[in-house]
Amino acid sequence: MRPTVICFSGLDPSGGAGLQADIEAIGQSGAHAAIACTALTIQNSQQVFGFEATSKELLLAQANAVVGDLPIKCVKSGMLGTTDNIAALAEFLAQHPEYLYVLDPVLVANSGGSLGNQETLVKAFAQLIPFATVITPNTVELRALTGENDLDLATQKLFAMGAKAVLVKGGHEDTPEYIRNALYIQNELVSETRCPRLDGEYHGSGCSLASFIAGRLALGDDLKVAVHHSETWLFGVLKNAESPVTNGQKIPKRF
Ligand code: PLP
């Protein structure tokens, strides 16, 4: 059986982000996706109306049901929704030091809607940071996680908090022509990419990128190669993204 990534993330009814993005991206990476659902959200391509989080017990029961059954190599987390779910994931990771782990520190939806209480989530994420093979914040999340506005200082602070590698995604920065992503391993810049900025807003681009990275890591790529593959794949997927009838955020076409 294909190496498996277990995704701790939420369901997005629009199919652009969350679990569906994870499943499709991991499938496209060549790995298999398993699921531990953290929350059911109510949203479309334009806005989040609310969500109901899974209990800590239910979340762990889902994950534990497939441990030992599937060849899990990597954990990927996205929306966790509550501090209880973050604590549950930290417990799970402590029991499985053999798993690689991609931490996408989701705080809000790309449409701006709340996917949990920012302040408490930020504090709780600190427990997950030391487990992560790589953390994939956009610059808004990086600033929120560290309380630092300057991006170099914020990155350094994330390493001081126990990070091993960080992919800083520049999509929210004011660079109208391009998006700069930077990969740091042990606080050293190891690669930097600039891709042309595509028009419009996309729903689930961060989920897709982090999940593809997790899939490639599960298949044995080293981190730098996994990130490179994933960025190339994501660019194609966003170029082919489809516009909803309401003209909301575009839905990446991952097939
Ligand atoms: N996870 C869920 C369940 C979501 O609904 C969203 C956004 O709506 C995200 C994660 C983050 O999505 P993005 O990849 O657009 O940052």
Side-chain angles (χ1 to χ4, degrees):
M1 176 165 188
R2 285 167 296 161
T4 298
V5 178
I6 181 161
C7 304
F8 286 68
S9 43
L11 183 104
D12 164 14
S14 80
L19 289 173
Q20 187 165 332
D22 297 341
I23 294 166
E24 292 181 2
I26 290 165
Q28 286 292 295
S29 79
H32 173 70
I35 301 302
C37 181
T38 57
L40 301 177
T41 75
I42 309 163
Q43 66 179 307
N44 55 29
S45 65
Q46 304 172 85
Q47 70 180 109
V48 179
F49 302 100
F51 70 87
E52 193 166 314
T54 308
S55 70
K56 177 178 175 170
E57 291 72 28
L58 183 54
L59 182 63
L60 285 176
Q62 292 176 77
N64 288 329
V66 295
V67 168
D69 186 40
L70 303 179
I72 297 173
K73 293 281 182 281
C74 188
V75 175
K76 183 259 168 181
S77 67
M79 173 191 180
L80 290 163
T82 62
T83 54
D84 266 6
N85 281 349
I86 293 179
L89 175 55
E91 211 175 281
F92 182 79
L93 290 165
Q95 282 163 3
H96 298 285
E98 70 279 19
Y99 295 163
L100 302 164
Y101 172 39
V102 177
L103 165 54
D104 189 22
V106 173
L107 292 169
V108 290
N110 239 349
S111 56
S114 167
L115 296 173
N117 180 311
Q118 273 241 31
E119 209 177 310
T120 57
L121 290 181
V122 161
K123 281 197 196 125
F125 270 133
Q127 338 164 35
L128 296 177
I129 289 170
F131 290 109
T133 309
V134 64
I135 307 171
T136 60
N138 59 39
T139 52
V140 175
E141 291 158 348
L142 178 61
R143 290 184 173 109
L145 284 175
T146 59
E148 255 321 321
N149 197 43
D150 178 86
L151 290 177
D152 286 336
L153 291 179
T155 308
Q156 279 173 29
K157 196 158 170 193
L158 208 51
F159 281 101
M161 291 163 78
K164 298 187 201 79
V166 181
L167 175 65
V168 181
K169 301 174 299 186
H172 290 77
E173 295 302 288
D174 185 20
T175 52
E177 303 295 325
Y178 64 87
I179 290 179
R180 174 185 180 265
N181 289 349
L183 175 66
Y184 298 81
I185 299 180
Q186 306 290 5
N187 213 357
E188 246 181 68
L189 179 66
V190 296
S191 75
E192 191 180 353
T193 53
R194 273 172 200 236
C195 70
R197 186 180 285 275
L198 296 165
D199 281 344
E201 295 279 323
Y202 298 84
H203 197 67
S205 52
C207 305
S208 303
L209 184 68
S211 284
F212 199 97
I213 293 171
R216 293 308 313 178
L217 289 176
L219 288 159
D221 277 2
D222 92 1
L223 179 58
K224 205 170 145 185
V225 172
V227 168
H228 178 71
H229 267 135
S230 306
E231 287 175 337
T232 308
W233 171 79
L234 184 73
F235 188 71
V237 154
L238 297 185
K239 230 164 75 178
N240 291 324
E242 297 171 297
S243 285
V245 287
T246 54
N247 231 6
Q249 294 190 320
K250 293 182 193 171
I251 307 284
K253 196 171 175 191
R254 289 171 286 252
F255 288 100

